[in-house]
Amino acid sequence: MHQKAYDLKLKVLSLKQTSKKNDFFHVTLDNGDKYNLHRNSITQYNIKENQLIENKVLCKALDNTERENIKYKIILLLSYRQRSKKELKDNFVSKGYKVENVLNVIDELEKRKYINDVSFTKMMATYLIKEKKLGRYLVEQKLFQHGIDFSVMDSIISNLYNKYPQSKTIKEILNKKNISKGDSLKNKIKTINHLKRKGFHFEDINVIIEAH
C-alpha cells in the first residue's frame, strides 16, 4: 500500500450493530466503503460515528477483526475435538485468512491451553491404535501429517502399544480372517499385505502367523 493511501483519513458515516446476538458492527465510510468490524476493534481503535479514521488504523482494525473471527471459529472447532496446530493453520489459510493472523491466534490459544499438540496426539493415537487397529508405522505417518514432532508422539505411542500390544491386534485380525500357520501361501501373502497396509512391520506379522 502506498504511503499516501495508508495515511488517508476517512469519515465514519454510520456505525450500527449487525445484531444483538453478535459482536459485529456495520461501518460505512464517506467513500462508500462498508466493513464489518468486531466490537473489540471498535473499542480498541476508538472508532466513532462522524469522526475521521486513518486508513492505517482501519487496516489494523480489520486485522484485529479477522483475528477475532478466527479465534471464534477455532474455539468452535475445538468444542468438537482436539486439533493440531498444523491442521488449524492449513484449514484457515486455505480459506483465505492471512497467515500471520492465523498464527497469531494459534499462538494465543496455545498459551491459553485451548490448543495442545500433546492432548491432540493422545486423542488421535488412541483412536488409531485402539479403534482403527493400526500398526506403529501408519500411526506415526498420520501424526506426521498433522505436524506432530516425533519427540512428542514417541512416548505416547509406546505407552499405548504397551496397553494395546501390536501382537494382540495382529492375532485378532488373523482370527477374524481365519488365517492359521497351515493356510495356503496365497492367503498368507494376501493377509500379510493387508497387515502391512495397516502399518505393521513384516517381521512382526510373520512371527505371529508362524506361531498362530
Side-chain angles (χ1 to χ4, degrees):
M1 184 181 292
H2 295 298
Q3 188 65 37
K4 189 174 180 180
Y6 197 62
D7 291 338
L8 183 66
K9 289 185 178 182
L10 301 164
K11 187 176 182 179
V12 179
L13 295 183
S14 67
L15 183 64
K16 296 179 181 178
Q17 191 169 2
T18 59
S19 167
K20 292 181 180 179
K21 296 181 179 180
N22 65 40
D23 291 319
F24 289 88
F25 287 76
H26 286 309
V27 178
T28 303
L29 304 178
D30 62 354
N31 66 349
D33 288 348
K34 297 180 179 180
Y35 301 97
N36 280 340
L37 292 178
H38 192 272
R39 182 188 300 277
N40 289 347
S41 298
I42 300 292
T43 303
Q44 183 174 340
Y45 294 100
N46 197 29
I47 299 171
K48 297 178 181 178
E49 276 188 351
N50 299 317
Q51 289 192 4
L52 294 176
I53 178 175
E54 290 183 346
N55 203 40
K56 61 184 178 183
V57 174
L58 176 62
C59 290
K60 291 178 181 179
L62 288 169
D63 272 340
N64 186 73
T65 292
E66 182 169 279
R67 289 193 293 271
E68 291 290 348
N69 198 20
I70 294 168
K71 189 186 305 180
Y72 170 79
K73 291 183 177 181
I74 286 181
I75 291 174
L76 185 63
L77 286 174
L78 293 173
S79 71
Y80 295 103
R81 68 167 176 84
Q82 278 284 345
R83 317 266 170 163
S84 69
K85 289 185 289 184
K86 182 179 185 300
E87 179 184 359
L88 291 169
K89 178 196 167 200
D90 292 349
N91 185 340
F92 283 88
V93 171
S94 71
K95 291 178 179 176
Y97 292 98
K98 291 182 180 179
V99 64
E100 58 268 28
N101 285 336
V102 174
L103 292 175
N104 180 283
V105 173
I106 289 174
D107 184 58
E108 178 192 342
L109 292 178
E110 185 178 23
K111 288 176 180 175
R112 293 170 61 187
K113 309 299 182 185
Y114 280 92
I115 299 171
N116 188 314
D117 272 358
V118 172
S119 296
F120 170 81
T121 302
K122 288 178 180 177
M123 178 207 69
M124 187 169 185
T126 299
Y127 171 73
L128 295 174
I129 293 168
K130 182 183 177 183
E131 306 299 332
K132 300 297 287 184
K133 300 186 183 302
L134 300 184
R136 182 165 190 138
Y137 173 77
L138 196 54
V139 172
E140 289 178 354
Q141 292 307 305
K142 286 184 177 295
L143 288 169
F144 279 135
Q145 289 171 9
H146 283 272
I148 305 301
D149 193 86
F150 183 75
S151 63
V152 173
M153 71 173 78
D154 186 33
S155 61
I156 292 172
I157 293 174
S158 295
N159 289 336
L160 282 167
Y161 278 124
N162 286 334
K163 189 174 181 179
Y164 308 104
Q166 293 188 83
S167 58
K168 183 180 178 181
T169 302
I170 292 172
K171 287 176 184 177
E172 288 176 357
I173 295 172
L174 293 178
N175 288 334
K176 188 175 181 180
K177 291 184 171 292
N178 295 316
I179 298 295
S180 64
K181 182 178 179 180
D183 222 307
S184 69
L185 180 61
K186 182 179 178 180
N187 280 346
K188 282 185 179 180
I189 292 174
K190 186 177 179 181
T191 302
I192 287 171
N193 287 335
H194 171 71
L195 288 165
K196 284 172 67 179
R197 286 194 298 272
K198 288 181 74 71
F200 297 100
H201 292 292
F202 172 76
E203 293 78 9
D204 298 325
I205 300 168
N206 197 46
V207 168
I208 302 295
I209 288 180
E210 290 304 310
H212 195 59

